Amino acid sequence: MTGRRELNVLAPGILSLIEDAGRLGWLSAGVGVSGAADPGSYELANRLVANPPGAAAIEVTMGGLRAEVGCRTVVAVTGAPAQLTVDGRAFGHDSVVPVEPGQVIELGMPPVGVRSYLAIRGGIDVEPVLGSRSTDTMSGLGPPALAAGDVLPIGAEPAEWPIVDVAPVPPLEAGTVVVRAMAGPRAEWFAAPHVIFETEWIASPASDRIGVRLDPADPAARPARAIDGELPVEGMPLGAIQVPPSGQPVAFLADHPVTGGYPVIATVDRADIGRLAQLRPGQRVRFAQHRR
C-alpha cells in the first residue's frame, strides 16, 4: 500500500490515548497492567482490520479526534458509537472503512458510552515501554496523551486480511446498566455487605481510567463498616470494588493501583469490565450477584 505509514494528529479531542492489551508480567515490581479500559471493544477493532492480537490502537474519550492518514489502509471504530467520517463522509460503526493517503478521519461525540477504539491496519507502532505501548494514566508509563501535531508511526501490513465488513454488536445501554459481580473477598468487613447488590449506584463525574466512583441513589445506602480496623496492604485485582472511609465505592478499571488497604466488598466479573468502563457520569448501574 502506498504513502507514508503514519497518522498525523490534527486534534486529539478531550483525551485520546494509545492502548494495547496491557503491560503483562510486571505486577511483582509494582507495575500495573493498564491497557484498553474496554478490552472487548479494543480486541474487536483489531480483529476487524486483521491486526494481530495486542496491536496498539487509540482509545478516544468522548470523541473529537481528527487525524490525517498518510497511506492507503483500512480503519475501524468500536466501543462507544462515535460517528466516524472520512473527509466528511460518514461510515458505519463496528465496520471496516477504507482510507486513502491524505484523507482526514474524525470521530464525533458518541450518544452513549465513553470510550471509542480506533484501530488502523498495522497498529500504532510507537516505542514500547516495559513491553507495552499502553498509556498508564496513574503511573505515567507509556506514551503521553495525544496532542495536535503528533505524528504516529503505523506498523507493517499484517499477513492476514479483513474477512468481514461489519460486526453485529449489541448497542450500549443508555439507561441503567446491570453488571455481574461476586461478593468479597472482604464482605465480612461491612455491616450489610448485600447493600452493594441491593442499591442502584450512580457513576460520579470524578470517574476515570483508574476506577468508576459510585454514589448511591439513596444516600443512606453507603456501605457501613462492621470492622473499624485497617487491612494490611493486599493485591487489588481489576474490577475490585473498594470502599474507602468515605463510604463511596470505587470499581477499579485498567489503571488501578496494584495494591490497596481498603476492604473490597465485591469484584466485578471480568467479562463485564468493558460495560463498566463505558458508564457515563450520571449513568446508573446495578450489580447482579454472580456466584461461582
Side-chain angles (χ1 to χ4, degrees):
M1 295 199 177
T2 61
R4 298 168 285 109
R5 297 198 62 78
E6 59 188 33
L7 190 70
N8 181 15
V9 179
L10 305 177
I14 295 173
L15 179 66
S16 293
L17 305 172
I18 298 171
E19 299 292 345
D20 60 16
R23 194 164 279 108
L24 304 176
W26 292 94
L27 289 175
S28 62
V31 177
V33 173
S34 189
D38 179 351
S41 295
Y42 153 77
E43 291 166 4
L44 175 61
N46 271 330
R47 288 201 304 272
L48 283 169
V49 299
N51 278 343
I58 301 177
E59 181 180 277
V60 183
T61 302
M62 300 302 289
L65 176 69
R66 292 179 63 243
E68 179 187 351
V69 180
C71 59
R72 181 180 299 156
T73 187
V74 293
V75 301
V77 175
T78 61
Q83 177 63 67
L84 169 66
T85 61
V86 179
D87 279 355
R89 180 185 174 190
F91 285 87
H93 196 60
D94 300 318
S95 63
V96 179
V97 178
V99 185
E100 294 294 324
Q103 288 190 316
V104 173
I105 59 177
E106 183 169 3
L107 271 65
M109 180 177 286
V112 295
V114 176
R115 297 175 172 92
S116 305
Y117 292 86
L118 170 67
I120 187 164
R121 186 166 163 77
I124 304 299
D125 196 26
V126 296
E127 192 69 25
V129 177
L130 297 180
S132 170
R133 296 178 173 86
S134 282
T135 301
D136 186 331
T137 59
M138 190 176 75
S139 70
L141 286 173
L146 299 189
D150 286 349
V151 178
L152 307 178
I154 299 171
E157 282 278 320
E160 303 297 324
W161 285 90
I163 58 174
V164 298
D165 294 326
V166 63
V169 177
L172 295 176
E173 303 102 321
T176 300
V177 175
V178 178
V179 173
R180 293 168 295 177
M182 291 177 286
R186 301 299 180 191
E188 73 278 4
W189 279 63
F190 299 92
H194 53 275
V195 73
I196 196 70
F197 299 106
E198 296 177 356
T199 300
E200 195 163 73
W201 301 90
I202 302 171
S204 164
S207 301
D208 53 22
R209 277 179 49 90
I210 295 171
V212 179
R213 286 155 176 82
L214 300 165
D215 294 315
D218 176 4
R222 290 180 184 270
R225 286 277 197 95
I227 301 174
D228 292 329
E230 294 302 325
L231 279 168
V233 172
E234 59 185 359
M236 287 291 123
L238 179 66
I241 305 175
Q242 190 184 66
V243 185
S246 66
Q248 182 190 37
V250 182
F252 283 147
L253 294 178
D255 291 350
H256 68 88
V258 174
T259 61
Y262 299 133
V264 173
I265 193 170
T267 306
V268 174
D269 191 303
R270 187 169 288 267
D272 284 355
I273 290 294
R275 301 175 71 230
L276 187 71
Q278 293 292 359
L279 286 174
R280 294 182 90 143
Q283 192 170 6
R284 299 194 174 206
V285 59
R286 295 190 68 93
F287 294 103
Q289 188 162 6
H290 180 205
R291 296 179 175 84
R292 290 188 183 276

